[in-house]
């Protein structure tokens, strides 16, 4: 078992013993998603830490989107629950980049692309190709895209 997956299991056990319903239900759902990913496809396999992290990132994104949908639907209690579950999952995610750090990375990439001759909104794809590997899971795609757009247009 990978170290991240075993940490999830250990934390689930601790949450159950502490009768922490929010954490235990969130970790159960996440471990279920990991198990599903392991059995998806033609053969069952053990996920690496990076693959488990991708599942956690995907689950956290689902929580954010669900919270927004509940807010729009006027269901503040459900939205709050989704945000709380997202905070539980955030403990397992890498430290997110600050807006300043993200802007600095994007500015370097924009300068690099402009030096190669591409400018304006058409350069978005080229900039994203440079930025995405540097940022990885430390910033949500929407945040990265917004930063790239603002610097390309501005």
């Amino acid at each position: 078992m990978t170290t991240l997956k075993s940490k999830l299991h250990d934390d689930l056990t601790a949450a159950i013993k502490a009768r922490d319903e929010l954490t235990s239900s969130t970790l159960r759902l996440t471990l279920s998603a990991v198990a599903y990913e392991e059995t998806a496809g033609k053969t069952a396999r053990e996920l690496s830490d990076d693959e488990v992290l991708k599942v956690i990132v995907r689950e956290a994104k689902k929580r954010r989107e669900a919270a927004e949908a509940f807010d729009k639907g006027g269901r503040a209690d459900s939205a709050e629950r989704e945000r709380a579950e997202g905070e539980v999952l955030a403990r397992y995610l890498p430290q997110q980049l600050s807006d300043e750090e993200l802007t600095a990375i994007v500015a370097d990439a924009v300068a690099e692309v402009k030096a190669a001759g591409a400018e304006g909104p058409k350069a978005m794809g080229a900039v994203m190709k440079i930025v995405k590997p540097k940022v990885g899971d430390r910033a949500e795609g929407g945040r990265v895209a917004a930063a790239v757009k603002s610097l390309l247009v501005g």
Side-chain angles (χ1 to χ4, degrees):
M1 191 180 308
T2 62
T3 56
L4 185 54
K5 187 176 168 188
S6 62
K7 177 162 178 39
L8 288 171
H9 275 288
D10 294 344
D11 290 352
L12 173 60
T13 304
I16 291 170
K17 287 179 181 174
R19 299 190 188 282
D20 182 351
E21 191 274 330
L22 174 72
T23 304
S24 61
S25 68
T26 304
L27 293 180
R28 275 193 182 106
L29 287 169
T30 304
L31 284 166
S32 173
V34 168
Y36 177 80
E37 195 71 25
E38 287 178 334
T39 57
K42 295 184 184 215
T43 58
R45 62 193 177 86
E46 180 89 16
L47 295 182
S48 70
D49 270 350
D50 286 341
E51 292 169 318
V52 172
L53 184 63
K54 283 185 176 132
V55 172
I56 296 171
V57 167
R58 190 170 50 229
E59 290 296 308
K61 182 178 179 186
K62 285 180 190 176
R63 300 309 190 290
R64 271 193 307 281
E65 291 171 352
E68 289 171 18
F70 282 134
D71 276 338
K72 287 179 185 169
R75 296 183 53 196
D77 55 334
S78 297
E80 195 55 43
R81 168 74 183 204
E82 293 293 331
R83 280 193 195 88
E85 288 181 4
E87 288 173 17
V88 169
L89 293 175
R91 297 179 208 158
Y92 303 96
L93 298 176
Q95 182 66 40
Q96 295 294 296
L97 290 172
S98 69
D99 289 339
E100 295 80 25
E101 292 170 319
L102 180 61
T103 304
I105 291 171
V106 171
D108 290 346
V110 167
E112 190 176 320
V113 168
K114 283 185 178 178
E119 282 197 40
K122 292 179 182 173
M124 177 100 177
V127 173
M128 289 296 282
K129 278 183 187 171
I130 296 169
V131 171
K132 203 63 180 147
K134 292 179 182 176
V135 170
D137 292 327
R138 297 181 303 149
E140 187 181 311
R143 265 184 75 205
V144 174
V148 170
K149 281 180 189 172
S150 71
L151 287 176
L152 281 176
V153 173

